Amino acid sequence: MAEHLLTVTRTQGNNRALTDGAVVPAGFPLAFKEEPVLVNGFRRMVRELAYDVCEMALTTYLTAREHGVRFTALPVFLVRGFHHGAILVRKDSGITEPGQLAGKRVGVNRGYTVTTGVWARAIMALEHGLDLDSVTWVLSGDEHVESYRPPANVEPAGPGKQLGDMLLAGEVDAVVNAGVDSPDVVPLIADPVEAGFAALRERGFYPINHLVVVKDEVLDAHPGVAKAVFDAFAESKRRYVEQLRTGVVETADDRMYARVMAETGTTDPLPYGIEPNRAILELLAEQAAAQHILTKPVDVDSMFAPTTRELVG
């Protein structure tokens, strides 16, 4: 094809060779658009199909897919991380473990379907036994997928309300995924970085946050585009991982991925493809259903473009 595919992705180690032009999908050049606030790009893609190719939060994708938005994912997992540190409480609250949040009010940054919130709730439920349905979840914003309706125990914070202020004032008992700069606020789960790596070592818990989607109109018109874009993202990531292996570690993400390699013995801390990630994708789909985000079961393979289902990179 002659025209470039309009693409939104935040430049980081694993896609830098793409965004700087060193790697180009064979036959399908990309034209990158900067979205200073990446979640605004997610919203425009979900609501307007504004781009041909777009980085996308995993749960946002599954929600949009259930609600009929016409884009399809590639098994390119750009962002992973640990979310044990995402839950904050007041130091003087007396709340020292997630089970104590039963019956309480917990603020959630932006929407209920935000992927970090899903993973943080999963940690509280699976590792600490919290009944998520017993909590009132208080949202600071709205959902990217306008037609999604959250369960009855989810409510808006209200106009102009800031979750950090609400936490400090005692209007909520904890917050999820909301940065609060106060000496009076601490992570609910002690030593969260070590807790995250322990979950990785002990049960392979290595959450995916972002993948890549392509507009169905583009996939339908160009049968080779999904594989070409996957291969290019995989090549860019391969170059990044090679740098990590040689000791080029500069950012917090670099350090995290280098530690993943060191602690698990893997040579690739960012595997692309369905098969290496099937268990964590199944867990996310299960949690999205358990948390009343999805109403229908999701087959992991069906989430991805057919020509990419066997690819690993």
Side-chain angles (χ1 to χ4, degrees):
M1 64 185 293
E3 72 269 21
H4 287 58
L5 297 175
L6 185 60
T7 302
V8 166
T9 184
R10 176 186 288 153
T11 298
Q12 55 190 11
N14 58 4
N15 63 8
R16 190 175 304 278
L18 268 174
T19 60
D20 70 14
V23 172
V24 178
F28 301 95
L30 307 179
F32 291 97
K33 174 178 168 49
E34 285 296 323
E35 279 283 0
V37 180
L38 185 60
V39 294
N40 292 346
F42 297 170
R43 177 172 295 229
R44 289 201 64 208
M45 187 65 176
V46 167
R47 295 189 175 187
E48 309 164 32
L49 291 174
Y51 319 109
D52 297 311
V53 179
C54 190
E55 184 172 338
M56 180 63 59
L58 176 50
T59 316
T60 301
Y61 167 61
L62 291 180
T63 308
R65 179 178 175 272
E66 183 171 286
H67 287 254
V69 179
R70 287 193 42 79
F71 53 43
T72 300
L74 312 182
V76 169
F77 305 116
L78 290 174
V79 175
R80 304 186 80 129
F82 304 105
H83 303 291
H84 290 73
I87 311 132
L88 305 178
V89 294
R90 293 185 313 282
K91 199 183 289 185
D92 64 359
S93 67
I95 297 171
T96 57
E97 67 93 19
Q100 294 174 276
L101 292 175
K104 306 287 191 185
R105 291 165 56 81
V106 177
V108 178
N109 186 39
R110 296 188 286 110
Y112 184 67
T113 61
V114 169
T115 305
T116 296
V118 176
W119 283 126
R121 289 190 295 268
I123 289 165
M124 291 190 280
L126 298 175
E127 294 185 12
H128 299 274
L130 176 63
D131 176 4
L132 300 179
D133 292 340
S134 75
V135 177
T136 298
W137 305 98
V138 182
L139 309 182
S140 67
D142 61 357
E143 304 294 340
H144 290 323
V145 181
E146 289 180 284
S147 56
Y148 171 74
R149 295 292 175 266
N153 61 323
V154 176
E155 62 183 49
K161 289 279 195 175
Q162 301 294 320
L163 293 183
D165 296 340
M166 294 177 74
L167 179 64
L168 292 168
E171 295 175 45
V172 293
D173 300 283
V175 295
V176 174
N177 193 30
V180 184
D181 185 14
S182 168
D184 298 323
V185 172
V186 294
L188 173 55
I189 296 173
D191 209 349
V193 172
E194 294 311 312
F197 275 96
L200 171 66
R201 288 191 305 269
E202 291 164 14
R203 56 192 180 89
F205 185 70
Y206 188 27
I208 293 167
N209 272 53
H210 295 179
L211 39 61
V212 172
V213 299
V214 181
K215 197 157 57 173
D216 285 353
E217 180 185 327
V218 173
L219 293 171
D220 292 344
H222 305 286
V225 71
K227 183 178 185 303
V229 172
F230 176 94
D231 287 345
F233 272 96
E235 172 59 21
S236 177
K237 186 261 299 187
R238 187 194 64 75
R239 297 183 186 194
Y240 169 62
V241 171
E242 190 57 40
Q243 290 180 328
L244 292 179
R245 286 185 202 148
T246 59
V248 180
V249 177
E250 298 170 351
T251 70
D253 283 346
D254 296 347
R255 289 189 288 277
M256 182 187 77
Y257 294 135
R259 183 173 173 185
V260 168
M261 288 195 290
E263 295 210 6
T264 64
T266 183
T267 57
D268 184 356
L270 283 162
Y272 295 170
I274 297 174
E275 215 47 53
N277 298 287
R278 185 175 294 278
I280 200 71
L281 291 165
E282 287 176 346
L283 180 61
L284 187 280
E286 289 165 8
Q287 280 298 303
Q291 296 179 30
H292 315 294
I293 292 170
L294 300 179
T295 64
K296 304 168 191 153
V298 175
D299 171 69
V300 164
D301 294 273
S302 75
M303 291 165 53
F304 299 99
T307 58
T308 66
R309 290 175 187 168
E310 303 300 322
L311 300 178
V312 176

